[in-house]
Amino acid sequence: MIRSVTVPAAGVPFKNNAAYCVGTGRMGLALQQEYLDHLDLVQEAIRFRYIRGHGLFCDDMSIYRELDSPEGPRPYYNFTYLDRVVDSYLARGIRPFLELGFMPEKLKSGEQTIFYWKGNVTPPNDFDKWEILVEHTLAHLAERYGHDEVATWPVEVWNEPNIGFWAGTMQEYFHLYEVSARAVKRVDPRIPVGGPAICGVDTEHWLRSFFSFVTENDLPIDMVTRHCYAANQPRREGFYVHHSLRKNDIMIDELRETRQIMDDYPRIAGLPLHITEFSTSYVPRCPVHDTVYNAAYIARILSEAGDYADSYSYWTFSDVFEEADVPISVLHGGFGLVGLESIKKPTFWTFAFFSRAGGELVYRDENLIVTRDGDRYAIIGWHADATTDQSAEPISYNLRLPGLSSPQCLLLKQSVGGKHANPLQTWSNLGKPYTLDDAQRRILRASAEPLQRDEKLFAREDGWLEVSVSLPSNHLCMLEITPVEDRTVTYAGFDAREHYGLE
Amino acid sequence: MIRSVTVPAAGVPFKNNAAYCVGTGRMGLALQQEYLDHLDLVQEAIRFRYIRGHGLFCDDMSIYRELDSPEGPRPYYNFTYLDRVVDSYLARGIRPFLELGFMPEKLKSGEQTIFYWKGNVTPPNDFDKWEILVEHTLAHLAERYGHDEVATWPVEVWNEPNIGFWAGTMQEYFHLYEVSARAVKRVDPRIPVGGPAICGVDTEHWLRSFFSFVTENDLPIDMVTRHCYAANQPRREGFYVHHSLRKNDIMIDELRETRQIMDDYPRIAGLPLHITEFSTSYVPRCPVHDTVYNAAYIARILSEAGDYADSYSYWTFSDVFEEADVPISVLHGGFGLVGLESIKKPTFWTFAFFSRAGGELVYRDENLIVTRDGDRYAIIGWHADATTDQSAEPISYNLRLPGLSSPQCLLLKQSVGGKHANPLQTWSNLGKPYTLDDAQRRILRASAEPLQRDEKLFAREDGWLEVSVSLPSNHLCMLEITPVEDRTVTYAGFDAREHYGLE
Amino acid sequence: MIRSVTVPAAGVPFKNNAAYCVGTGRMGLALQQEYLDHLDLVQEAIRFRYIRGHGLFCDDMSIYRELDSPEGPRPYYNFTYLDRVVDSYLARGIRPFLELGFMPEKLKSGEQTIFYWKGNVTPPNDFDKWEILVEHTLAHLAERYGHDEVATWPVEVWNEPNIGFWAGTMQEYFHLYEVSARAVKRVDPRIPVGGPAICGVDTEHWLRSFFSFVTENDLPIDMVTRHCYAANQPRREGFYVHHSLRKNDIMIDELRETRQIMDDYPRIAGLPLHITEFSTSYVPRCPVHDTVYNAAYIARILSEAGDYADSYSYWTFSDVFEEADVPISVLHGGFGLVGLESIKKPTFWTFAFFSRAGGELVYRDENLIVTRDGDRYAIIGWHADATTDQSAEPISYNLRLPGLSSPQCLLLKQSVGGKHANPLQTWSNLGKPYTLDDAQRRILRASAEPLQRDEKLFAREDGWLEVSVSLPSNHLCMLEITPVEDRTVTYAGFDAREHYGLE
Amino acid sequence: MIRSVTVPAAGVPFKNNAAYCVGTGRMGLALQQEYLDHLDLVQEAIRFRYIRGHGLFCDDMSIYRELDSPEGPRPYYNFTYLDRVVDSYLARGIRPFLELGFMPEKLKSGEQTIFYWKGNVTPPNDFDKWEILVEHTLAHLAERYGHDEVATWPVEVWNEPNIGFWAGTMQEYFHLYEVSARAVKRVDPRIPVGGPAICGVDTEHWLRSFFSFVTENDLPIDMVTRHCYAANQPRREGFYVHHSLRKNDIMIDELRETRQIMDDYPRIAGLPLHITEFSTSYVPRCPVHDTVYNAAYIARILSEAGDYADSYSYWTFSDVFEEADVPISVLHGGFGLVGLESIKKPTFWTFAFFSRAGGELVYRDENLIVTRDGDRYAIIGWHADATTDQSAEPISYNLRLPGLSSPQCLLLKQSVGGKHANPLQTWSNLGKPYTLDDAQRRILRASAEPLQRDEKLFAREDGWLEVSVSLPSNHLCMLEITPVEDRTVTYAGFDAREHYGLE
């Protein structure tokens, strides 16, 4: 079936927050060279503005320490690693979106931990010490990087206190929020603070309780944060956790509902809503993350989520990640846009494509957007097919678009899927090596690039452009149309016959 | 038509000298950054061992100078640029194949010049001064780089003395050869010296006369050098010179004939034969150089020339070249494997593919070779079609190959032609810009890469591998087959259904 | 003798244009890798804003060309190299200060040339074609780089028409100015244009005639340009031209006089005055350029020239320069701040130091300036001694300075001279090699760095800082004083005795 | 007091193993970018051949894992990080000297750990599983890197089993050695294996028992390994542990004694002896490591240790190290040759200097060696002064040396101490910042370079060279003398008077 679409000359602003923020493995991993290599890759292609992850106060970052003294243990703060990490972020044009957590060894009130790397999730044994820790950390950052800079770094209080990430009660979380927000604002009242950073469990109850608490106690709040994952129940099997996905507009629905709840609270309505984590599966050993299906599924979300949320931070930019142990092999179902050994995964391109979308939305349906930036079209199409045999028919479009400033245009197509930009398939063809040798690395990196083709596109006599798009099952593509000034006639003696096939 | 080929288990050594030497624009251009960028590109992919070009003694290299003194002009030698150029060659793993020429201003005997950059082609006004210049230059190099190193650098006397590159007579050339060879050998008798560096005009007469002269005078000679171009008569038109090409085995024939002439002279028979220049057209404004047709045409030569010649130095590695003026635009029919702005042209891949051929030749016809390196096949196919409408039928093969060490293999295909690795077409689609902006550069560089695909290849029950190859008009391809150890079963819980289309 | 100086708390703005513009060898040299390496070095340390040199329209840049056609020669313009050069400038944060010249082969009216590289200095054979060339070139730049950008690039008409750089008359130069200025303004009226770019010969006559001509004809003029060199008559000897220098305030005097002449013309008074070339000797084979004496001499000029001129462009940033032939050896008396093989010469540091001077001038005499940037002092001292035996007594200062925000400061001293930052001496110690091997390069580069020392400086009880400065003959130094927050007490257990000599 | 020394013309081979091996923080740290930056620095200047440290089998490297299965836990091995680390070593020209340890979580038999990063030091709960782990790991390395390569990687069994690094008995260690050595040899009998890796506690007893055990059981042993530290008892104070040092020939004595013990056992006598760790203090928070005193102290050891030991691996190359928690500040008394933020510490130069010593030892005393490499002298002097006020008199030498091939030489001096290459002093002058900003980093890095001076040195009439060396308290220096060909006379017109002070 072919969909025929006539694109109007004017559209609406495209609320595109795809590049606002991205997720990351725990902060301590940012010391690794491979992590930074991957960050270079995403920043070159996507240019995220913020980066958010766990582990600021975990012991591998070594911030909170105590020294024995005759008067008892004396807190001190070690910012060696924090400064190094933040320096390396800023050098790559990305700013921290700070998450306060987890609990330093010396402040823990219990033994409950999370992840292979054992983040302690208990409330502080002394809320005053926690408050001072938060204040001291922010004050240090403001001294080193300048108040004006740090005033642009949002601060989120803890992570998913509604599930196993918080060993305390909801009220204890609210108290943590209160002392943390107060500490932040003492350093600089301009620093945005927010919560409750919940995932999709008991959502409405948590949101409403949090909004009431903040309102009643007149606490600072500059943004609401939550998480969204699209996975059904997991099936654990050997190294893997397998997840099927919910319908790919489920997340759009969740965002809409969150906005509706927010609207019930005058102090909350209209605040920025940041989805500080989202992905398909919430397990870093689920193969879906490595597939083109995932890339196409996420495209659907990016095409519309900006209507409801001010950011949606894909979890995560890199497979340098250890929550479920060190990855066993180069591809392993990790969260990342970039796999180990700097392999770009299909969803990398989803973000790369959306980062180049135009500011004006002239057409959108559930498989395609057409955007425009003045004299240029950027079209993104996707076809996510949850069946695994790829038997679905391609989705095809005939697009009619108002002409650009020149009757001759360049049509540049990049496509992801099948034999191209599908490193999972190539890795399988290579025999699924655990780590790569030089030859394998070269093959796999090259295979991860989209299929790029270009052609001349001429406006019809009536000035309209006609473009067809075909989306096979589990494919993603981008088409860019730009006007071209053809200089052929200025080449004296140019003769197409002498080029053996030039069109 | 499909050719069915059963490849034997054992072959013959593949005399593959594709990467032995490459040509370059005049030595002074090696100071340029863009030149060095291009050299990096070819060395990374092809790893040539030697580089040869004109201009060692031209005035922009500034080697021969005279200083006024009361006793008259006193020669001195300036090696500032020569050292810089040779340093930059060696740093890139490539050695000079020295050509002695052209005539320094102070040694010229007339005004005749060649090229936009005005190389003086007259005999020396003082053969003694020339001899000292040669000796002094080689001695300097041996002092700086060591005798053992310099003893591996061949020295060719002058360039194409049989046409307009030499304003003297044949006898004057022979005299030049004599004094030059003597000077070289005085520095180190191990340094190979040779000539007569002629192009294909009056060839037999020149060769026989030269061989007789050398023999009769018992002169040093370690190699024979000549040039081959495959172009018919030119048609000049505006910025361009258009050339059609002769049959693509014409050069093989010429090499065979040269060998036969050499065999008539006992001192010459068996000497190395170096084709110190070859290409299709001999004009750096002929569009054929930029085409896939050229890439396929050259492949035919590389497949067989090693049977007759010890090297065949493609003229040239880079479009950083000024013989016919500074290039007017990014693609312009230049000689190079690499176009301006670091655009890899189709023939770049011909050399890249042959540089990865195996050492054993198991099959060869006029469109395909199958080579082997122990447990790996490297297959290169080409289809050069001189008609310009590409209407020729594809050439197709069904290949049966003896199996490798594993029943499962990786088949990696790279193809050049049509919409891929065809930057001339993409540049045309971009409107033929003279120089590129950032966006154009990104598109054009990406478009210049071959189409890469990979797949699993399983041996049949009888142990044979079957591969089909299709070569459309003006295409070039490489197929590499390597055995794979499939580790899938070692991934506990791996389930192909969870990968949405993985094959 | 020791000079005791009490520095006042407040000063005047320091008109410091040291980093406004720098000179360069002819534009074609900007294609060279070594040139760009040197530009990287100066931009990292000094960050010049503009770069000016000859050769825009010389034939090696290949801009103006003609094509034969049935209707006669047809001009065309080749911007391949110009775009490459300007791209590489902008990528290094430096903008072109364009000089229109010299005469393309096809537009020349005679054979008179200048320099080893034979720049043609005759008037155009057709002023209309020249005018179109200028317009076309500027229009191309504006199209490629944007009008807003190009509107910040000053354009100077020709170079030193008052001497051998111009084979025409004064009136012919004025006509050239007129058509050139008109062409520039047609592209964008914001582009600054000026002249007469004269050197110090017959200066007053040329300036007054030019100002009158411009005024009477109501021509565009946005700046006045001239050159200043401080050399006495040359003595030629072998490879060298030896120059003694005039008193080092001679150039200040010349600037003052130029301003006075300008003031006589209402349209000219108050215009920017750009010294588009200055140095000590005007010959690139004069050893003085490589000396510390030169560095100290130039410091005196930088300390005051900003009071009169809006820029003073040191001629030149690099010894990649060919006006008097290709340099014979790594150091050779070239103009550059950077010698061949990336050797920083002493005058490099003069500019590096002045580029870090403070915005407020609190003390100045003929050997020292004290500048301030809020809470930081930058002191530069110099002692240029024209006698060659360095027998002069050191010049010494006791400085009393108002305290900074902390009683503890860091005093950082860098000094140039004697055994440090004196690569000429080290090169001589190495035996004066023509080109360098790796070991020599390492030694010479390291030797070219200033002697750096640092110490704690404590304010006296009355809050004043006391610093002494000693300037031996032919030395240059910079002292920087910054307040320090001493955190020693925050290091629990710190014990100075455990550091074996820590002060 | 001045020591007059006449150096003989011939010496003995200098057994210089300074660059054989260097220590490193735990293997997991090798993933960090800063670690690799530091490794680049030492490899550029020193070029160590091997690197040895703890943590191969610690859980952050993630090698030993178990998967639940119906038949019980199934071991598997994850080499993701090991391959990455070894790749990055080999890419920097350094090979692993493997230490087997510590105990993976799943194999531990108790809870005893060591260090901030909690290395488990208990014997395996199953020696068979340990043996398989060792074999599997070595076999993996041999598969990935080739048997010939891995056959050059020594393997040491465990670390310091004679103190708190081993929770088992001596007999249990011997059993561990036995199964480990067997596993190693099964992979490739060429891989060197050894122990007992003890530190200097109960040394003789351990060595003799180990040698007897190996001999009696006829176990493989290719080398003996032990550690040496020169510190007296510690004094703990706040962040620091202060150590005074023993006499600086104490370690030479220990090596001599070890050799004597080895000589009592025929199978052991003559085996390579590797000091797999040595330093002054054994605590990474002892300020002595950052001092010039340390640099001079270590020089004494490097001057003679090669007479007894085949390597002495300085503990460690970098302050990227976490045994006593994450470093609190840029300098903090860490073990490294390189401090945080890539600050070269004084002892860096001790190794850099010894790495450039000559192969022939022509003079040695307790403060100076004179070495020779054919036509070049390399002299290293040191003056370690344990008093902290640096009141000791300088040690001075007048050296008479046989002349080199030219009467004119270059004398290049580099010195470390006082105001130069003393970053601890500069850091103190900067106020002891915890982490650095850009300006501080620039100052501190520059301050860490040695004072370099060069001069002409002429042989006396009798052909001898005379050089004086002065060694102030806590200084280290290197003098290099190389013959120079003075080309001054080849510079026509050269006139020293025109250089304003050139000597």
Side-chain angles (χ1 to χ4, degrees), chain B residues 109-113 120-123 158 161 163-169 172:
Chain B
S109 59
E111 299 303 325
Q112 192 175 326
T113 66
N120 185 290
V121 294
T122 62
W158 209 257
I163 59 166
F165 283 87
W166 180 242
T169 64
E172 283 172 313

Side-chain angles (χ1 to χ4, degrees), chain A residues 199-211:
Chain A
C199 67
V201 171
D202 203 14
T203 317
E204 181 160 1
H205 173 53
W206 267 79
L207 289 177
R208 292 196 181 278
S209 304
F210 179 67
F211 297 157

Side-chain angles (χ1 to χ4, degrees), chain D residues 87-217:
Chain D
D87 283 0
S88 66
Y89 283 164
L90 298 182
R92 285 163 180 83
I94 199 164
R95 290 169 158 145
F97 191 118
L98 293 167
E99 174 202 314
L100 304 179
F102 299 123
M103 200 50 61
E105 188 68 14
K106 294 287 189 184
L107 291 183
K108 72 184 181 188
S109 59
E111 299 303 326
Q112 193 176 326
T113 67
I114 196 154
F115 299 142
Y116 157 74
W117 44 265
K118 295 194 177 11
N120 186 289
V121 294
T122 63
N125 54 33
D126 182 330
F127 276 83
D128 288 346
K129 286 188 176 170
W130 171 269
E131 185 173 343
I132 295 170
L133 166 62
V134 172
E135 180 177 0
H136 208 93
T137 301
L138 269 295
H140 167 76
L141 292 171
E143 182 194 354
R144 181 170 176 84
Y145 299 103
H147 272 260
D148 289 349
E149 171 65 28
V150 173
T152 68
W153 301 358
V155 177
E156 185 181 34
V157 180
W158 210 257
N159 179 71
E160 301 192 2
N162 59 329
I163 59 165
F165 283 87
W166 180 244
T169 64
M170 186 193 283
Q171 290 310 315
E172 284 172 313
Y173 171 74
F174 292 168
H175 185 47
L176 187 82
Y177 181 84
E178 180 170 359
V179 302
S180 301
R182 206 158 52 205
V184 168
K185 293 295 184 181
R186 263 204 304 277
V187 174
D188 196 308
R190 296 172 296 172
I191 302 174
V193 70
I198 56 167
C199 65
V201 171
D202 203 12
T203 316
E204 181 160 0
H205 174 53
W206 268 80
L207 289 177
R208 292 195 181 278
S209 305
F210 180 67
F211 296 156
S212 299
F213 177 80
V214 167
T215 301
E216 286 158 16
N217 293 279

Side-chain angles (χ1 to χ4, degrees), chain B residues 224-237:
Chain B
V224 173
T225 68
R226 63 161 296 185
H227 300 169
C228 296
Y229 288 91
N232 291 312
Q233 288 307 305
R235 177 167 65 89
R236 298 183 183 272
E237 189 76 45

Side-chain angles (χ1 to χ4, degrees), chain C residues 250-266:
Chain C
I250 198 76
M251 190 171 131
I252 305 297
D253 293 344
E254 285 187 352
L255 296 181
R256 211 181 279 122
E257 288 159 23
T258 302
R259 272 285 173 210
Q260 285 162 358
I261 297 169
M262 290 170 66
D263 286 348
D264 291 344
Y265 300 81

Side-chain angles (χ1 to χ4, degrees), chain D residues 78-91:
Chain D
N78 179 346
F79 297 119
T80 295
Y81 281 174
L82 179 59
D83 289 356
R84 201 189 295 166
V85 169
V86 175
D87 283 0
S88 66
Y89 283 164
L90 298 182

